[in-house]
Amino acid sequence: MAWTFATRDFETSNGAPAEANRDVGSTATCTRIVATAAITSLLAVAPLAAATQPGAEPEVQSELPATPETSSTIEPITLVYEFYAAGFHLATVETNATLTNEAYEISTKGQSSGIADSLLRARFESSAVGALSSEGPTPKSFRNFSDTRFGVRELEMTRATDGTFDVTAEPELEPHQAAALRSGLADGTVDPLTASLYTALRPANTTCTEKVRVFDGRRVFALAYTRKGTEVLSPVDESFFTGDTIKCNLRYLPLAGQTREWKLEQAKNPTPPIELWIAEFNQPNRDADVMIPVRMKLQSEWGTALVHLTSVTIGGEVLNQASLQQLK
């Protein structure tokens, strides 16, 4: 399963001088990286330092992946990702997904670690439930919860049959976020976890060509993938995976609900695209494959942040590099 968990909770910039704001800046950086973790899971593995063209109005039509026809159920999948920056381990994220031909359930949970835990003490979890058909996923409900030293944030939303959303949030939606919900731009979109299915269920030859409109309960945005070619990943200590991958860029395109301060900051210092490396995983005893991000790279004030896939469990079977080679 590919997870592009794309929730942005830390958009506003602090105008205090850098000398007086060093601790706040470090905390903000950790928050963005941990929130990115609360992206993947990738995606989100992909929250979020995705690239943006401030003020752009992308013409995006979600392309719906067909559900596999070879079996009634995709084996339950569990992925674990580790987030690193400047040599520090910042967060761990676990994502679980179960799909049938009729329905799906996806959940993500994570927590900060090391220096990030000292600054944030962050715990977060999300879940999504929806229906699957030959036309693709239709979300029913989405929940996002986080608990950090800044306080608790919780959001629940349900999607009606006409594509509109009912949102309950604590803290309540800011005026510009409520306006985004009323604007109609959220209608017909999908939640961040459901958005991950557009990558996970796509055939390898069309991976990283999708554009998906997303609503996270506070903001409307588009996730735009661009295929950059293929790359063979070499062994690294942080991940068990080596081998062939598809490399792509992921850009975050704002549509509604983003703060004016964030847009101004992005106009001055636009965030580069997130880089993703996605591999094709065979399911044990199944014909259908799934596309799973195995590495992610993004830029932060601390330099390059890396996310590594460290564990894959499919249908209760833990896969390592040896078992992956046997499945080829």
Side-chain angles (χ1 to χ4, degrees):
M1 191 62 46
W3 281 264
T4 312
F5 184 39
T7 310
R8 278 182 186 256
D9 274 334
F10 217 84
E11 296 171 344
T12 57
S13 58
N14 192 304
E19 302 83 20
N21 197 38
R22 182 174 300 173
D23 290 341
V24 174
S26 298
T27 302
T29 300
C30 284
T31 303
R32 280 193 294 272
I33 293 174
V34 172
T36 305
I39 154 190
T40 132
S41 142
L42 257 205
L43 187 192
V45 116
L48 254 177
T52 172
Q53 300 297 323
E57 291 290 340
E59 296 181 2
V60 178
Q61 177 64 46
S62 298
E63 301 173 13
L64 301 177
T67 54
E69 298 179 355
T70 54
S71 65
S72 60
T73 301
I74 293 180
E75 298 282 2
I77 298 175
T78 299
L79 305 180
V80 178
Y81 291 93
E82 308 289 348
F83 288 65
Y84 298 86
F88 296 102
H89 181 239
L90 298 182
T92 299
V93 175
E94 178 180 299
T95 300
N96 295 274
T98 300
L99 292 83
T100 70
N101 276 352
E102 294 79 33
Y104 64 89
E105 295 183 9
I106 307 173
S107 64
T108 284
K109 62 181 179 180
Q111 63 182 49
S112 56
S113 63
I115 188 172
D117 200 49
S118 300
L119 293 169
L120 297 175
R121 299 190 301 275
R123 306 291 183 271
F124 45 86
E125 58 186 54
S126 295
S127 60
V129 175
L132 277 176
S133 69
S134 60
E135 297 181 347
T138 300
K140 293 183 178 179
S141 64
F142 172 76
R143 177 179 179 270
N144 189 29
F145 173 87
S146 66
D147 184 0
T148 74
R149 74 179 185 89
F150 300 108
V152 173
R153 296 174 66 87
E154 188 166 10
L155 181 144
E156 294 188 28
M157 65 182 189
T158 57
R159 194 173 99 153
T161 55
D162 62 358
T164 60
F165 288 90
D166 179 48
V167 178
T168 302
E170 181 61 40
E172 293 183 354
L173 300 185
E174 297 289 338
H176 61 280
Q177 296 170 341
L181 180 60
R182 295 193 303 269
S183 70
L185 290 174
D187 297 354
T189 61
V190 298
D191 62 78
L193 290 182
T194 298
S196 71
L197 296 178
Y198 289 86
T199 298
L201 301 183
R202 187 173 297 278
N205 62 347
T206 61
T207 294
C208 288
T209 60
E210 60 269 29
K211 295 180 180 179
V212 186
R213 294 175 66 102
V214 183
F215 179 51
D216 66 6
R218 297 182 183 272
R219 291 155 293 265
V220 185
F221 53 92
L223 295 176
Y225 294 80
T226 303
R227 191 174 181 125
K228 307 300 289 185
T230 59
E231 184 174 335
V232 178
L233 292 185
S234 300
V236 294
D237 293 339
E238 295 82 2
S239 176
F240 71 90
F241 181 87
T242 63
D244 297 332
T245 64
I246 298 168
K247 185 178 180 180
C248 61
N249 285 352
L250 170 62
R251 293 185 297 149
Y252 172 98
L253 305 174
L255 292 175
Q258 293 77 15
T259 64
R260 181 175 180 272
E261 292 81 3
W262 181 80
K263 290 181 179 179
L264 290 174
E265 176 62 25
Q266 285 294 299
K268 293 186 296 182
N269 301 298
T271 306
I274 289 177
E275 295 180 70
L276 291 172
W277 287 262
I278 300 176
E280 184 176 14
F281 280 66
N282 301 100
Q283 298 184 87
N285 305 315
R286 299 283 177 172
D287 295 329
D289 298 334
V290 289
M291 305 303 297
I292 298 178
V294 296
R295 186 180 298 179
M296 178 173 75
K297 181 167 72 173
L298 57 99
Q299 298 302 314
S300 73
E301 287 90 339
W302 286 10
T304 300
L306 290 170
V307 184
H308 293 281
L309 176 68
T310 59
S311 175
V312 179
T313 304
I314 301 181
E317 178 179 346
V318 178
L319 302 184
N320 53 30
Q321 191 63 38
S323 62
L324 289 179
Q325 296 302 322
Q326 293 171 8
L327 291 172
K328 296 297 184 180

